[in-house]
PDB file of all heavy atoms in Angstrom:
ATOM      1  N   ARG C 223     -77.140 -88.944  24.948  1.00 96.00           N
ATOM      2  CA  ARG C 223     -77.741 -88.472  26.210  1.00 96.00           C
ATOM      3  C   ARG C 223     -76.686 -88.853  27.298  1.00 96.00           C
ATOM      4  O   ARG C 223     -76.261 -89.997  27.304  1.00 96.00           O
ATOM      5  CB  ARG C 223     -79.014 -89.178  26.526  1.00 96.00           C
ATOM      6  CG  ARG C 223     -80.116 -89.140  25.507  1.00 96.00           C
ATOM      7  CD  ARG C 223     -81.145 -90.198  25.861  1.00 96.00           C
ATOM      8  NE  ARG C 223     -82.086 -90.381  24.772  1.00 96.00           N
ATOM      9  CZ  ARG C 223     -83.132 -89.535  24.502  1.00 96.00           C
ATOM     10  NH1 ARG C 223     -83.297 -88.482  25.228  1.00 96.00           N
ATOM     11  NH2 ARG C 223     -83.902 -89.820  23.453  1.00 96.00           N
ATOM     12  N   ARG C 224     -76.420 -87.923  28.159  1.00 97.00           N
ATOM     13  CA  ARG C 224     -75.588 -88.266  29.293  1.00 97.00           C
ATOM     14  C   ARG C 224     -76.588 -88.368  30.494  1.00 97.00           C
ATOM     15  O   ARG C 224     -77.124 -87.327  30.925  1.00 97.00           O
ATOM     16  CB  ARG C 224     -74.519 -87.222  29.499  1.00 97.00           C
ATOM     17  CG  ARG C 224     -73.669 -87.466  30.712  1.00 97.00           C
ATOM     18  CD  ARG C 224     -72.494 -86.503  30.733  1.00 97.00           C
ATOM     19  NE  ARG C 224     -71.884 -86.498  32.008  1.00 97.00           N
ATOM     20  CZ  ARG C 224     -72.025 -85.528  32.948  1.00 97.00           C
ATOM     21  NH1 ARG C 224     -72.676 -84.430  32.636  1.00 97.00           N
ATOM     22  NH2 ARG C 224     -71.433 -85.646  34.103  1.00 97.00           N
ATOM     23  N   LEU C 225     -76.833 -89.534  30.924  1.00 97.00           N
ATOM     24  CA  LEU C 225     -77.717 -89.753  32.049  1.00 97.00           C
ATOM     25  C   LEU C 225     -76.948 -89.904  33.303  1.00 97.00           C
ATOM     26  O   LEU C 225     -76.117 -90.813  33.447  1.00 97.00           O
ATOM     27  CB  LEU C 225     -78.630 -91.005  31.819  1.00 97.00           C
ATOM     28  CG  LEU C 225     -79.300 -91.160  30.458  1.00 97.00           C
ATOM     29  CD1 LEU C 225     -80.059 -92.501  30.363  1.00 97.00           C
ATOM     30  CD2 LEU C 225     -80.273 -90.009  30.255  1.00 97.00           C
ATOM     31  N   THR C 226     -77.083 -89.011  34.273  1.00 98.00           N
ATOM     32  CA  THR C 226     -76.320 -89.117  35.478  1.00 98.00           C
ATOM     33  C   THR C 226     -77.266 -89.422  36.641  1.00 98.00           C
ATOM     34  O   THR C 226     -78.406 -88.899  36.689  1.00 98.00           O
ATOM     35  CB  THR C 226     -75.619 -87.749  35.796  1.00 98.00           C
ATOM     36  OG1 THR C 226     -76.485 -86.728  35.595  1.00 98.00           O
ATOM     37  CG2 THR C 226     -74.374 -87.589  34.902  1.00 98.00           C
ATOM     38  N   PHE C 227     -76.782 -90.290  37.482  1.00 98.00           N
ATOM     39  CA  PHE C 227     -77.593 -90.674  38.652  1.00 98.00           C
ATOM     40  C   PHE C 227     -76.768 -91.283  39.700  1.00 98.00           C
ATOM     41  O   PHE C 227     -75.645 -91.601  39.540  1.00 98.00           O
ATOM     42  CB  PHE C 227     -78.708 -91.678  38.194  1.00 98.00           C
ATOM     43  CG  PHE C 227     -78.212 -92.916  37.497  1.00 98.00           C
ATOM     44  CD1 PHE C 227     -78.120 -94.138  38.179  1.00 98.00           C
ATOM     45  CD2 PHE C 227     -77.735 -92.868  36.222  1.00 98.00           C
ATOM     46  CE1 PHE C 227     -77.605 -95.219  37.560  1.00 98.00           C
ATOM     47  CE2 PHE C 227     -77.226 -94.028  35.582  1.00 98.00           C
ATOM     48  CZ  PHE C 227     -77.185 -95.171  36.273  1.00 98.00           C
ATOM     49  N   LYS C 228     -77.335 -91.364  40.891  1.00 97.00           N
ATOM     50  CA  LYS C 228     -76.624 -91.946  42.083  1.00 97.00           C
ATOM     51  C   LYS C 228     -77.089 -93.468  42.082  1.00 97.00           C
ATOM     52  O   LYS C 228     -78.262 -93.771  42.136  1.00 97.00           O
ATOM     53  CB  LYS C 228     -77.102 -91.272  43.343  1.00 97.00           C
ATOM     54  CG  LYS C 228     -76.671 -89.860  43.461  1.00 97.00           C
ATOM     55  CD  LYS C 228     -75.205 -89.710  43.820  1.00 97.00           C
ATOM     56  CE  LYS C 228     -74.821 -88.284  43.962  1.00 97.00           C
ATOM     57  NZ  LYS C 228     -73.391 -88.065  43.734  1.00 97.00           N
ATOM     58  N   MET C 229     -76.060 -94.285  42.087  1.00 97.00           N
ATOM     59  CA  MET C 229     -76.354 -95.717  42.056  1.00 97.00           C
ATOM     60  C   MET C 229     -76.130 -96.310  43.394  1.00 97.00           C
ATOM     61  O   MET C 229     -75.153 -96.064  44.079  1.00 97.00           O
ATOM     62  CB  MET C 229     -75.368 -96.342  41.066  1.00 97.00           C
ATOM     63  CG  MET C 229     -75.832 -97.503  40.327  1.00 97.00           C
ATOM     64  SD  MET C 229     -74.617 -98.025  39.205  1.00 97.00           S
ATOM     65  CE  MET C 229     -74.962 -99.733  39.179  1.00 97.00           C
ATOM     66  N   LYS C 230     -77.062 -97.178  43.804  1.00 96.00           N
ATOM     67  CA  LYS C 230     -76.888 -97.884  45.148  1.00 96.00           C
ATOM     68  C   LYS C 230     -76.414 -99.314  44.856  1.00 96.00           C
ATOM     69  O   LYS C 230     -77.014-100.000  44.029  1.00 96.00           O
ATOM     70  CB  LYS C 230     -78.246 -97.925  45.870  1.00 96.00           C
ATOM     71  CG  LYS C 230     -78.696 -96.624  46.411  1.00 96.00           C
ATOM     72  CD  LYS C 230     -79.643 -96.955  47.530  1.00 96.00           C
ATOM     73  CE  LYS C 230     -80.132 -95.702  48.265  1.00 96.00           C
ATOM     74  NZ  LYS C 230     -81.171 -94.972  47.531  1.00 96.00           N
ATOM     75  N   PRO C 231     -75.446 -99.793  45.601  1.00 96.00           N
ATOM     76  CA  PRO C 231     -75.010-101.112  45.433  1.00 96.00           C
ATOM     77  C   PRO C 231     -76.188-102.081  45.753  1.00 96.00           C
ATOM     78  O   PRO C 231     -77.051-101.748  46.594  1.00 96.00           O
ATOM     79  CB  PRO C 231     -73.846-101.324  46.413  1.00 96.00           C
ATOM     80  CG  PRO C 231     -73.362 -99.966  46.723  1.00 96.00           C
ATOM     81  CD  PRO C 231     -74.535 -99.020  46.491  1.00 96.00           C
ATOM     82  N   GLY C 232     -76.236-103.198  45.010  1.00 96.00           N
ATOM     83  CA  GLY C 232     -77.257-104.216  45.244  1.00 96.00           C
ATOM     84  C   GLY C 232     -78.548-103.998  44.438  1.00 96.00           C
ATOM     85  O   GLY C 232     -79.414-104.791  44.377  1.00 96.00           O
ATOM     86  N   LYS C 233     -78.649-102.768  43.853  1.00 96.00           N
ATOM     87  CA  LYS C 233     -79.893-102.515  43.108  1.00 96.00           C
ATOM     88  C   LYS C 233     -79.662-102.531  41.611  1.00 96.00           C
ATOM     89  O   LYS C 233     -78.592-102.072  41.154  1.00 96.00           O
ATOM     90  CB  LYS C 233     -80.343-101.070  43.450  1.00 96.00           C
ATOM     91  CG  LYS C 233     -81.696-100.719  42.958  1.00 96.00           C
ATOM     92  CD  LYS C 233     -82.218 -99.369  43.530  1.00 96.00           C
ATOM     93  CE  LYS C 233     -83.471 -99.063  42.713  1.00 96.00           C
ATOM     94  NZ  LYS C 233     -83.739 -97.788  42.359  1.00 96.00           N
ATOM     95  N   GLU C 234     -80.603-103.115  40.860  1.00 97.00           N
ATOM     96  CA  GLU C 234     -80.439-103.186  39.431  1.00 97.00           C
ATOM     97  C   GLU C 234     -81.067-101.953  38.759  1.00 97.00           C
ATOM     98  O   GLU C 234     -82.190-101.563  39.099  1.00 97.00           O
ATOM     99  CB  GLU C 234     -81.118-104.445  38.896  1.00 97.00           C
ATOM    100  CG  GLU C 234     -80.815-104.636  37.379  1.00 97.00           C
ATOM    101  CD  GLU C 234     -81.331-105.932  36.855  1.00 97.00           C
ATOM    102  OE1 GLU C 234     -82.524-106.308  37.138  1.00 97.00           O
ATOM    103  OE2 GLU C 234     -80.638-106.620  36.110  1.00 97.00           O
ATOM    104  N   TYR C 235     -80.370-101.395  37.794  1.00 98.00           N
ATOM    105  CA  TYR C 235     -80.882-100.232  37.111  1.00 98.00           C
ATOM    106  C   TYR C 235     -81.077-100.571  35.643  1.00 98.00           C
ATOM    107  O   TYR C 235     -80.260-101.110  34.962  1.00 98.00           O
ATOM    108  CB  TYR C 235     -79.855 -99.026  37.171  1.00 98.00           C
ATOM    109  CG  TYR C 235     -79.745 -98.564  38.594  1.00 98.00           C
ATOM    110  CD1 TYR C 235     -78.997 -99.215  39.515  1.00 98.00           C
ATOM    111  CD2 TYR C 235     -80.394 -97.351  38.961  1.00 98.00           C
ATOM    112  CE1 TYR C 235     -78.859 -98.814  40.818  1.00 98.00           C
ATOM    113  CE2 TYR C 235     -80.283 -96.933  40.290  1.00 98.00           C
ATOM    114  CZ  TYR C 235     -79.536 -97.647  41.231  1.00 98.00           C
ATOM    115  OH  TYR C 235     -79.496 -97.207  42.527  1.00 98.00           O
ATOM    116  N   GLN C 236     -82.290-100.286  35.144  1.00 98.00           N
ATOM    117  CA  GLN C 236     -82.580-100.670  33.760  1.00 98.00           C
ATOM    118  C   GLN C 236     -82.966 -99.496  32.864  1.00 98.00           C
ATOM    119  O   GLN C 236     -83.782 -98.733  33.201  1.00 98.00           O
ATOM    120  CB  GLN C 236     -83.798-101.610  33.779  1.00 98.00           C
ATOM    121  CG  GLN C 236     -83.525-102.968  34.421  1.00 98.00           C
ATOM    122  CD  GLN C 236     -84.580-103.943  34.097  1.00 98.00           C
ATOM    123  OE1 GLN C 236     -85.712-103.584  33.885  1.00 98.00           O
ATOM    124  NE2 GLN C 236     -84.203-105.241  33.980  1.00 98.00           N
ATOM    125  N   LEU C 237     -82.266 -99.496  31.751  1.00 98.00           N
ATOM    126  CA  LEU C 237     -82.571 -98.495  30.716  1.00 98.00           C
ATOM    127  C   LEU C 237     -83.198 -99.256  29.559  1.00 98.00           C
ATOM    128  O   LEU C 237     -82.726-100.316  29.151  1.00 98.00           O
ATOM    129  CB  LEU C 237     -81.207 -97.885  30.265  1.00 98.00           C
ATOM    130  CG  LEU C 237     -81.202 -97.119  28.926  1.00 98.00           C
ATOM    131  CD1 LEU C 237     -81.855 -95.719  29.166  1.00 98.00           C
ATOM    132  CD2 LEU C 237     -79.805 -96.949  28.463  1.00 98.00           C
ATOM    133  N   PHE C 238     -84.251 -98.654  28.961  1.00 98.00           N
ATOM    134  CA  PHE C 238     -84.858 -99.201  27.813  1.00 98.00           C
ATOM    135  C   PHE C 238     -84.703 -98.253  26.656  1.00 98.00           C
ATOM    136  O   PHE C 238     -84.927 -97.068  26.804  1.00 98.00           O
ATOM    137  CB  PHE C 238     -86.329 -99.464  28.110  1.00 98.00           C
ATOM    138  CG  PHE C 238     -86.549-100.469  29.156  1.00 98.00           C
ATOM    139  CD1 PHE C 238     -86.891-100.058  30.437  1.00 98.00           C
ATOM    140  CD2 PHE C 238     -86.442-101.762  28.900  1.00 98.00           C
ATOM    141  CE1 PHE C 238     -87.065-100.892  31.447  1.00 98.00           C
ATOM    142  CE2 PHE C 238     -86.651-102.777  29.962  1.00 98.00           C
ATOM    143  CZ  PHE C 238     -86.962-102.291  31.261  1.00 98.00           C
ATOM    144  N   LYS C 239     -84.311 -98.745  25.529  1.00 98.00           N
ATOM    145  CA  LYS C 239     -84.166 -97.891  24.345  1.00 98.00           C
ATOM    146  C   LYS C 239     -85.084 -98.410  23.227  1.00 98.00           C
ATOM    147  O   LYS C 239     -85.259 -99.633  22.978  1.00 98.00           O
ATOM    148  CB  LYS C 239     -82.694 -97.966  23.830  1.00 98.00           C
ATOM    149  CG  LYS C 239     -81.786 -96.948  24.496  1.00 98.00           C
ATOM    150  CD  LYS C 239     -80.363 -97.219  24.122  1.00 98.00           C
ATOM    151  CE  LYS C 239     -79.999 -96.742  22.779  1.00 98.00           C
ATOM    152  NZ  LYS C 239     -79.581 -95.271  22.738  1.00 98.00           N
TER     153      LYS C 239
END
Side-chain angles (χ1 to χ4, degrees):
R223 306 167 190 280
R224 175 170 167 255
L225 309 177
T226 46
F227 56 103
K228 295 280 182 205
M229 211 179 150
K230 286 204 177 79
K233 187 171 169 215
E234 186 175 47
Y235 293 79
Q236 291 196 329
L237 163 77
F238 298 98
K239 272 170 79 85

